[in-house]
Amino acid sequence: MLTESQIKELNAWITDTFGTTEVLAEYLDLAVEMLFYVEQGTFEQQELQDVVTVLLGMKRVLK
């Protein structure tokens, strides 16, 4: 669970870096799409699936 301090820091980072959570969600969509083009053998399949799971979860929360 995030502390209040961590939430404030995350919100500030999102605002300072992306402006809105919607813009960050768009970048997360792009990151998921990019993972489809990773060369075979670069990462383990489970590592890629874990990263996709995290990105999709973050996107869901931000929208």
Side-chain angles (χ1 to χ4, degrees), residues 2 5-15 24 58 62:
L2 294 175
S5 174
Q6 289 171 316
I7 292 170
K8 286 179 182 178
E9 186 175 345
L10 180 60
N11 283 330
W13 174 75
I14 290 170
T15 301
L24 175 54
M58 288 180 63
L62 294 171

Side-chain angles (χ1 to χ4, degrees), residues 24-58:
L24 175 54
E26 288 176 27
Y27 278 105
L28 293 173
D29 272 337
L30 182 60
V32 169
E33 186 175 332
M34 288 175 155
L35 288 171
F36 285 107
Y37 300 102
V38 172
E39 289 186 27
Q40 196 168 17
T42 305
F43 300 100
E44 297 292 324
Q45 183 67 27
Q46 187 61 52
E47 290 174 313
L48 292 170
Q49 290 172 343
D50 291 345
V51 168
V52 168
T53 299
V54 168
L55 294 172
L56 291 173
M58 288 180 63

